[in-house]
Amino acid sequence: MRIISGKYRRRKLLANPGQTTRPITDRVKVALFDRLEEKLAGACVADVFAGTGSLGLEALSRGARLAVLIEQDHRAWELLRDNVQAIGVENESLCWRTNALRSSFKPKGLDDWTPYDIVFFDPPYRFMEGAGASSEPYKALARLAREDVTADDALLVIRTARPAQFDVPPPWTLVEKMTPSSMALHFFAKTSP
C-alpha cells in the first residue's frame, strides 16, 4: 500500500494484516482522486473508518489542508499513527480513536478542523448492506450532515460492496456512482432543503 500522487508520492504505508481493514487498490484510488481533484486544494477531510489512513493521507498528499482520521480498531489505529509519523503530517492530521458509528465527528478543542469539505465513509461492507433509517450508519450519516460538521457544499464518498442497497438521510443526494471491481463508490452532495 502506498500514496499514489502528490507531495508524498510513492511513500509506503503500513497495512493491517488480516480482515480488519480493506485497503483500496491503487487503480481505484487513482479513479477516486481524479474525480475529487478540483475539490481537494485546501480542503478539510474526514476519513471515517480510516483503517491505516490510505484515503486521508492521499488527500493530504494531493493538497487537502487537514485530515481527521477516525478508526476504532486498536491495531489499525497504531499503524495509522505510525503512517502519519512516517510521512511527517502530524500537524495536518488527527488520528482519532473512536467508534465512528457513535462519533460526534467534531474533535474537542479543534474547531478550525471542521466543517469538512470531503468525507470518506468506508465501513465494513456488512454495516451498509440494507442499512435503513433506524440503522447506526444512517444515524452517523445524519450527524455528518449537520452544518457545524460538514460544509454546505460537502461531498460524501461511501465505499460499499457493489450490490449493496442502503438509505442515506437528507440532505445527502447521490450524484455519481462508480463500480470498479467488486465494490461501489457512491458520491453524495450535500444539498439545501
Side-chain angles (χ1 to χ4, degrees):
M1 202 167 62
R2 65 192 174 108
I3 293 178
I4 302 296
S5 187
K7 60 186 170 185
Y8 307 119
R9 184 179 177 192
R10 294 193 185 104
R11 299 278 185 95
K12 291 192 186 280
L13 299 173
L14 300 171
N16 202 2
Q19 300 298 313
T20 304
T21 59
R22 292 169 291 103
I24 193 166
T25 65
D26 287 356
R27 183 178 63 83
V28 174
K29 199 188 305 188
V30 167
L32 169 60
F33 280 91
D34 284 352
R35 164 67 173 79
L36 299 176
E37 187 174 2
E38 292 179 13
K39 199 161 176 66
L40 279 170
C44 290
V45 173
D47 187 354
V48 184
F49 300 95
T52 56
S54 178
L55 297 177
L57 295 174
E58 185 76 31
L60 286 174
S61 183
R62 293 177 182 238
R65 182 172 62 91
L66 299 168
V68 174
L69 309 160
I70 297 172
E71 177 56 49
Q72 182 176 11
D73 179 77
H74 182 69
R75 181 64 183 140
W77 181 78
E78 286 178 333
L79 293 170
L80 172 62
R81 273 189 338 187
D82 291 345
N83 285 334
V84 163
Q85 290 171 355
I87 294 169
V89 291
E90 297 94 335
N91 293 332
E92 297 90 17
S93 60
L94 170 67
C95 300
W96 187 5
R97 186 168 177 228
T98 189
N99 181 339
L101 293 177
R102 298 212 166 103
S103 176
S104 68
F105 302 110
K106 289 193 54 87
K108 289 184 181 174
L110 297 173
D111 293 338
D112 56 338
W113 289 57
T114 54
Y116 304 116
D117 302 296
I118 300 171
V119 176
F120 299 108
F121 195 82
D122 190 10
Y125 285 168
R126 70 182 187 282
F127 286 15
M128 294 306 294
E129 184 55 51
S134 63
S135 70
E136 287 187 330
Y138 186 98
K139 292 173 185 175
L141 293 170
R143 287 192 305 279
L144 276 166
R146 293 189 333 237
E147 65 181 34
D148 61 334
V149 176
T150 48
D152 291 341
D153 62 346
L155 187 66
L156 168 68
V157 181
I158 301 176
R159 182 166 69 133
T160 66
R162 191 174 198 167
Q165 298 291 318
F166 59 93
D167 295 325
V168 297
W172 300 116
T173 302
L174 184 67
V175 293
E176 185 178 351
K177 180 178 177 182
M178 296 168 56
T179 54
S181 186
S182 62
M183 72 183 75
L185 297 172
H186 310 262
F187 296 82
F188 293 88
K190 189 175 175 182
T191 55
S192 300

PDB file of all heavy atoms in Angstrom, residues 128-142:
ATOM      1  N   MET A 128     -23.247  -1.534   5.848  1.00  0.00           N
ATOM      2  CA  MET A 128     -24.091  -0.764   4.935  1.00  0.00           C
ATOM      3  C   MET A 128     -25.164  -1.598   4.259  1.00  0.00           C
ATOM      4  O   MET A 128     -26.174  -1.042   3.819  1.00  0.00           O
ATOM      5  CB  MET A 128     -23.224  -0.085   3.868  1.00  0.00           C
ATOM      6  CG  MET A 128     -22.289   0.971   4.418  1.00  0.00           C
ATOM      7  SD  MET A 128     -23.099   2.269   5.404  1.00  0.00           S
ATOM      8  CE  MET A 128     -24.090   3.090   4.156  1.00  0.00           C
ATOM      9  N   GLU A 129     -24.968  -2.890   4.157  1.00  0.00           N
ATOM     10  CA  GLU A 129     -25.938  -3.726   3.454  1.00  0.00           C
ATOM     11  C   GLU A 129     -27.301  -3.654   4.141  1.00  0.00           C
ATOM     12  O   GLU A 129     -27.458  -4.053   5.287  1.00  0.00           O
ATOM     13  CB  GLU A 129     -25.457  -5.182   3.383  1.00  0.00           C
ATOM     14  CG  GLU A 129     -26.384  -6.093   2.585  1.00  0.00           C
ATOM     15  CD  GLU A 129     -26.652  -5.584   1.182  1.00  0.00           C
ATOM     16  OE1 GLU A 129     -25.686  -5.273   0.456  1.00  0.00           O
ATOM     17  OE2 GLU A 129     -27.846  -5.484   0.818  1.00  0.00           O
ATOM     18  N   GLY A 130     -28.277  -3.101   3.430  1.00  0.00           N
ATOM     19  CA  GLY A 130     -29.628  -2.985   3.951  1.00  0.00           C
ATOM     20  C   GLY A 130     -29.807  -1.923   5.019  1.00  0.00           C
ATOM     21  O   GLY A 130     -30.844  -1.882   5.684  1.00  0.00           O
ATOM     22  N   ALA A 131     -28.829  -1.039   5.208  1.00  0.00           N
ATOM     23  CA  ALA A 131     -28.922  -0.006   6.254  1.00  0.00           C
ATOM     24  C   ALA A 131     -30.082   0.942   5.952  1.00  0.00           C
ATOM     25  O   ALA A 131     -30.114   1.595   4.913  1.00  0.00           O
ATOM     26  CB  ALA A 131     -27.609   0.772   6.363  1.00  0.00           C
ATOM     27  N   GLY A 132     -31.017   0.975   6.876  1.00  0.00           N
ATOM     28  CA  GLY A 132     -32.193   1.837   6.727  1.00  0.00           C
ATOM     29  C   GLY A 132     -32.181   2.959   7.751  1.00  0.00           C
ATOM     30  O   GLY A 132     -31.197   3.174   8.466  1.00  0.00           O
ATOM     31  N   ALA A 133     -33.291   3.652   7.859  1.00  0.00           N
ATOM     32  CA  ALA A 133     -33.386   4.859   8.684  1.00  0.00           C
ATOM     33  C   ALA A 133     -33.151   4.615  10.173  1.00  0.00           C
ATOM     34  O   ALA A 133     -32.780   5.541  10.889  1.00  0.00           O
ATOM     35  CB  ALA A 133     -34.749   5.518   8.481  1.00  0.00           C
ATOM     36  N   SER A 134     -33.337   3.398  10.653  1.00  0.00           N
ATOM     37  CA  SER A 134     -33.108   3.138  12.079  1.00  0.00           C
ATOM     38  C   SER A 134     -31.706   2.579  12.351  1.00  0.00           C
ATOM     39  O   SER A 134     -31.364   2.314  13.501  1.00  0.00           O
ATOM     40  CB  SER A 134     -34.168   2.173  12.616  1.00  0.00           C
ATOM     41  OG  SER A 134     -34.058   0.933  11.947  1.00  0.00           O
ATOM     42  N   SER A 135     -30.896   2.425  11.320  1.00  0.00           N
ATOM     43  CA  SER A 135     -29.573   1.810  11.483  1.00  0.00           C
ATOM     44  C   SER A 135     -28.544   2.809  12.005  1.00  0.00           C
ATOM     45  O   SER A 135     -28.683   4.028  11.846  1.00  0.00           O
ATOM     46  CB  SER A 135     -29.097   1.234  10.151  1.00  0.00           C
ATOM     47  OG  SER A 135     -28.781   2.282   9.252  1.00  0.00           O
ATOM     48  N   GLU A 136     -27.492   2.280  12.606  1.00  0.00           N
ATOM     49  CA  GLU A 136     -26.410   3.139  13.104  1.00  0.00           C
ATOM     50  C   GLU A 136     -25.689   3.884  11.981  1.00  0.00           C
ATOM     51  O   GLU A 136     -25.381   5.058  12.139  1.00  0.00           O
ATOM     52  CB  GLU A 136     -25.427   2.324  13.948  1.00  0.00           C
ATOM     53  CG  GLU A 136     -25.990   1.943  15.303  1.00  0.00           C
ATOM     54  CD  GLU A 136     -24.948   1.274  16.190  1.00  0.00           C
ATOM     55  OE1 GLU A 136     -24.034   0.607  15.677  1.00  0.00           O
ATOM     56  OE2 GLU A 136     -25.053   1.453  17.414  1.00  0.00           O
ATOM     57  N   PRO A 137     -25.407   3.249  10.822  1.00  0.00           N
ATOM     58  CA  PRO A 137     -24.775   4.017   9.751  1.00  0.00           C
ATOM     59  C   PRO A 137     -25.626   5.205   9.289  1.00  0.00           C
ATOM     60  O   PRO A 137     -25.113   6.292   9.041  1.00  0.00           O
ATOM     61  CB  PRO A 137     -24.583   2.997   8.628  1.00  0.00           C
ATOM     62  CG  PRO A 137     -24.484   1.687   9.327  1.00  0.00           C
ATOM     63  CD  PRO A 137     -25.441   1.811  10.494  1.00  0.00           C
ATOM     64  N   TYR A 138     -26.927   5.006   9.174  1.00  0.00           N
ATOM     65  CA  TYR A 138     -27.833   6.092   8.768  1.00  0.00           C
ATOM     66  C   TYR A 138     -27.771   7.242   9.769  1.00  0.00           C
ATOM     67  O   TYR A 138     -27.653   8.415   9.382  1.00  0.00           O
ATOM     68  CB  TYR A 138     -29.258   5.546   8.654  1.00  0.00           C
ATOM     69  CG  TYR A 138     -30.271   6.522   8.111  1.00  0.00           C
ATOM     70  CD1 TYR A 138     -30.625   6.491   6.765  1.00  0.00           C
ATOM     71  CD2 TYR A 138     -30.898   7.452   8.945  1.00  0.00           C
ATOM     72  CE1 TYR A 138     -31.576   7.370   6.261  1.00  0.00           C
ATOM     73  CE2 TYR A 138     -31.849   8.329   8.442  1.00  0.00           C
ATOM     74  CZ  TYR A 138     -32.183   8.290   7.099  1.00  0.00           C
ATOM     75  OH  TYR A 138     -33.114   9.169   6.602  1.00  0.00           O
ATOM     76  N   LYS A 139     -27.810   6.916  11.051  1.00  0.00           N
ATOM     77  CA  LYS A 139     -27.746   7.952  12.090  1.00  0.00           C
ATOM     78  C   LYS A 139     -26.402   8.669  12.074  1.00  0.00           C
ATOM     79  O   LYS A 139     -26.325   9.882  12.286  1.00  0.00           O
ATOM     80  CB  LYS A 139     -28.016   7.335  13.462  1.00  0.00           C
ATOM     81  CG  LYS A 139     -29.451   6.847  13.618  1.00  0.00           C
ATOM     82  CD  LYS A 139     -29.638   6.088  14.928  1.00  0.00           C
ATOM     83  CE  LYS A 139     -31.035   5.494  15.008  1.00  0.00           C
ATOM     84  NZ  LYS A 139     -31.218   4.658  16.199  1.00  0.00           N
ATOM     85  N   ALA A 140     -25.313   7.933  11.815  1.00  0.00           N
ATOM     86  CA  ALA A 140     -23.991   8.555  11.721  1.00  0.00           C
ATOM     87  C   ALA A 140     -23.943   9.517  10.536  1.00  0.00           C
ATOM     88  O   ALA A 140     -23.404  10.630  10.641  1.00  0.00           O
ATOM     89  CB  ALA A 140     -22.907   7.491  11.594  1.00  0.00           C
ATOM     90  N   LEU A 141     -24.520   9.115   9.414  1.00  0.00           N
ATOM     91  CA  LEU A 141     -24.550   9.995   8.240  1.00  0.00           C
ATOM     92  C   LEU A 141     -25.401  11.234   8.496  1.00  0.00           C
ATOM     93  O   LEU A 141     -25.103  12.315   7.976  1.00  0.00           O
ATOM     94  CB  LEU A 141     -25.061   9.226   7.019  1.00  0.00           C
ATOM     95  CG  LEU A 141     -24.138   8.117   6.520  1.00  0.00           C
ATOM     96  CD1 LEU A 141     -24.848   7.259   5.474  1.00  0.00           C
ATOM     97  CD2 LEU A 141     -22.840   8.688   5.972  1.00  0.00           C
ATOM     98  N   ALA A 142     -26.448  11.106   9.304  1.00  0.00           N
ATOM     99  CA  ALA A 142     -27.255  12.274   9.674  1.00  0.00           C
ATOM    100  C   ALA A 142     -26.429  13.245  10.521  1.00  0.00           C
ATOM    101  O   ALA A 142     -26.497  14.463  10.335  1.00  0.00           O
ATOM    102  CB  ALA A 142     -28.511  11.832  10.428  1.00  0.00           C
TER     103      ALA A 142
END
